[in-house]
Amino acid sequence: MDCSGFVLNCPVAALVSRFEPNSVYDNCKCCEGCSKLIEAKMRVENDCLSLEEKDEENKDFAFCIGDEEINFNRYKVAALSSPFKGMLYGDFTESRRDKIDFSQSGISVEGMRAVKTYIRSRRVDLFCPGIVLELLSFANRFCCEEMKSFCDAHLASLVVNIEDALILIEYGLEERANLLVASCLQVLLRELPSSLYNPKVLKIFYGPDARERLAMWGMLLSYCIISLARWLWNRT
């Protein structure tokens, strides 16, 4: 059943002991939780809009991707990482330009707009997983450690089954996102030994470059998982 927001039709409230007949038309806790979530989201959106309005006067350069221009504040972008600081305030030609071509950076226009939103809100849970993966790659390429940490943690929270793990573990390994990889490995471990019959799982653990690739990032846990997987495989 879907909760209507009132105690009378709330499946959760129906399980609470000491039911009060006079409270059937009161709002249930589900409604209270939804209201708080909606209010919190509205506050974030309003804060972002307010900050965007204030930033309009401070935008002094633009990243260009194809024919699109996304305006930024130079100081705030430089604060993301040392490479950006060197690019925008160092001896590079970009420090003297008001338009910087970013078409070859590997990020889409939507991804760059997400960077702009992240700078204002310091949140990545506002975006779809595909955009967060773009932000993770962007953060890794330009050494934006805080952004990478947020993307890593958010993506790790999205891994709930083997399908998710098999899709996201490759991104995690490629971008050195330790939390994401650990979350994926945890799901694969939880499904042992049945997960070993999945050819995609076997490719991760037994591929020609599996040991070298996992070892390159110092993931000792991966060696334990490989050993356990081989032991279970020999027994089945």
Side-chain angles (χ1 to χ4, degrees):
M1 289 179 60
D2 293 329
C3 179
S4 65
F6 297 97
V7 171
L8 179 63
N9 296 322
C10 179
V12 177
L15 301 175
V16 179
S17 60
R18 298 180 182 178
F19 180 72
E20 294 291 340
N22 295 328
S23 67
V24 293
Y25 294 108
D26 292 344
N27 291 328
C28 63
K29 292 184 178 180
C30 298
C31 180
E32 180 182 349
C34 291
S35 298
K36 290 181 179 179
L37 183 61
I38 293 172
E39 290 175 2
K41 186 175 181 179
M42 289 179 64
R43 282 198 300 270
V44 171
E45 292 176 351
N46 290 336
D47 289 344
C48 289
L49 289 174
S50 177
L51 289 172
E52 186 175 8
E53 291 174 356
K54 293 179 180 179
D55 287 345
E56 285 297 331
E57 299 178 357
N58 299 323
K59 290 173 182 174
D60 49 11
F61 85 103
F63 282 122
C64 301
I65 301 177
D67 296 330
E68 296 286 339
E69 294 182 7
I70 303 96
N71 295 318
F72 285 91
N73 174 265
R74 189 175 296 269
Y75 173 79
K76 291 184 178 181
V77 175
L80 288 175
S81 68
S82 296
F84 274 124
K85 183 178 180 180
M87 175 193 295
L88 299 173
Y89 285 103
D91 296 329
F92 296 96
T93 57
E94 287 82 359
S95 64
R96 298 182 294 275
R97 292 179 178 175
D98 56 0
K99 293 182 181 181
I100 300 174
D101 185 10
F102 235 50
S103 300
Q104 304 301 319
S105 64
I107 191 169
S108 67
V109 173
E110 292 76 13
M112 206 65 203
R113 287 174 179 157
V115 172
K116 180 178 177 180
T117 301
Y118 167 80
I119 290 174
R120 294 196 303 265
S121 66
R122 285 300 191 268
R123 293 182 62 177
V124 298
D125 58 331
L126 305 172
F127 315 117
C128 67
I131 293 297
V132 180
L133 286 172
E134 277 200 70
L135 292 180
L136 175 64
S137 178
F138 175 90
N140 198 40
R141 176 174 295 187
F142 294 99
C143 304
C144 307
E145 295 302 327
E146 184 187 59
M147 182 190 295
K148 179 180 179 180
S149 178
F150 284 145
C151 293
D152 190 7
H154 179 64
L155 290 169
S157 70
L158 301 180
V159 183
V160 296
N161 53 47
I162 288 183
E163 288 72 23
D164 296 333
L166 291 173
I167 292 173
L168 292 174
I169 193 170
E170 294 293 338
Y171 289 99
L173 290 171
E174 183 177 353
E175 302 299 342
R176 296 176 174 83
N178 295 333
L179 283 178
L180 177 57
V181 173
S183 182
C184 294
L185 292 175
Q186 185 181 38
V187 170
L188 297 178
L189 266 179
R190 190 171 63 224
E191 298 297 329
L192 285 174
S194 62
S195 61
L196 292 178
Y197 294 97
N198 189 316
K200 293 182 180 179
V201 175
L202 290 177
K203 182 180 178 180
I204 294 173
F205 289 148
Y206 293 102
D209 59 343
R211 180 183 290 271
E212 291 75 11
R213 183 177 58 178
L214 294 173
M216 185 168 57
W217 295 295
M219 300 181 64
L220 298 179
L221 176 62
S222 298
Y223 284 112
C224 298
I225 294 174
I226 292 172
S227 300
L228 177 60
R230 287 177 174 168
W231 178 75
L232 289 171
W233 180 260
N234 290 333
R235 293 192 60 184
T236 56

